[in-house]
Amino acid sequence: MVPSHDAPSLGRYGSSTAARLQDAFHFPALNTSVAEARRRVAAQLREWGIDEVACDDAQLVVSELFTNAVRHTDSEKVGCQLRLSGAHLRIEVTDQGHASTEPRARCSGTDEESGRGLLLVGVLSKAWGVRPDDSGRGRVVWADLPHGRLPH
């Protein structure tokens, strides 16, 4: 497993200090990395005390976004960042290689095996979108999911 680049940190908001949990990792842009990313997200969210429904939804979103980055870009690695802030979880998946088209949800025929991933992301997310990464070569696909925290 690739070590985390970001440890939990404290952010300053107005006059109060609020904990903002975050984690970042990357894996090679291989089909086998999709399952590794899903497991990493599940473990991290459980450690943060996120409820099972939100964990399941986040795993599905990460799986779809990672799969798209692996299949549709010329990346050598795919990154993922998780940020827990207030009542939402921000998931960002970053690729290194610019694909020829921007990710968008599309309707697939009933006999097609793929093409519904971003529709699922849209259903599970409060919002999602795409922006260029910091290098300008790749892109970041992000999704904000609602979550619940389990009582400690």
Side-chain angles (χ1 to χ4, degrees):
M1 183 177 294
V2 178
S4 173
H5 296 121
D6 296 327
S9 65
L10 292 177
R12 189 112 181 117
Y13 301 101
S15 61
S16 66
T17 301
R20 189 169 99 179
L21 300 171
Q22 56 187 15
D23 184 41
F25 58 90
H26 64 271
F27 290 113
L30 303 170
N31 288 329
T32 55
S33 295
V34 175
E36 288 296 318
R38 195 171 45 244
R39 282 191 287 275
R40 169 76 179 251
V41 167
Q44 185 62 67
L45 295 181
R46 286 186 184 109
E47 183 178 312
W48 290 345
I50 302 302
D51 67 273
E52 285 300 313
V53 171
C55 281
D56 291 346
D57 290 351
Q59 287 178 81
L60 181 55
V61 167
V62 165
S63 189
E64 294 299 336
L65 298 183
F66 242 81
T67 297
N68 284 350
V70 168
R71 286 186 183 170
H72 302 296
T73 72
D74 61 352
S75 301
E76 291 182 19
K77 66 181 179 178
V78 177
C80 182
Q81 183 173 14
L82 307 172
R83 281 193 315 268
L84 197 60
S85 181
H88 81 273
L89 168 67
R90 165 68 57 104
I91 298 171
E92 294 184 351
V93 173
T94 305
D95 64 59
Q96 297 175 305
H98 210 42
S100 59
T101 60
E102 185 169 302
R104 68 176 55 102
R106 67 180 179 92
C107 293
S108 297
T110 55
D111 57 342
E112 292 183 66
E113 290 184 21
S114 64
R116 295 175 193 83
L118 290 176
L119 288 173
L120 288 171
V121 170
V123 167
L124 296 173
S125 304
K126 290 178 135 182
W128 73 276
V130 182
R131 64 177 169 76
D133 75 345
D134 293 338
S135 75
R137 183 172 179 262
R139 72 175 120 227
V140 178
V141 182
W142 58 268
D144 289 337
L145 281 70
H147 73 81
R149 294 197 65 183
L150 300 171
H152 296 304

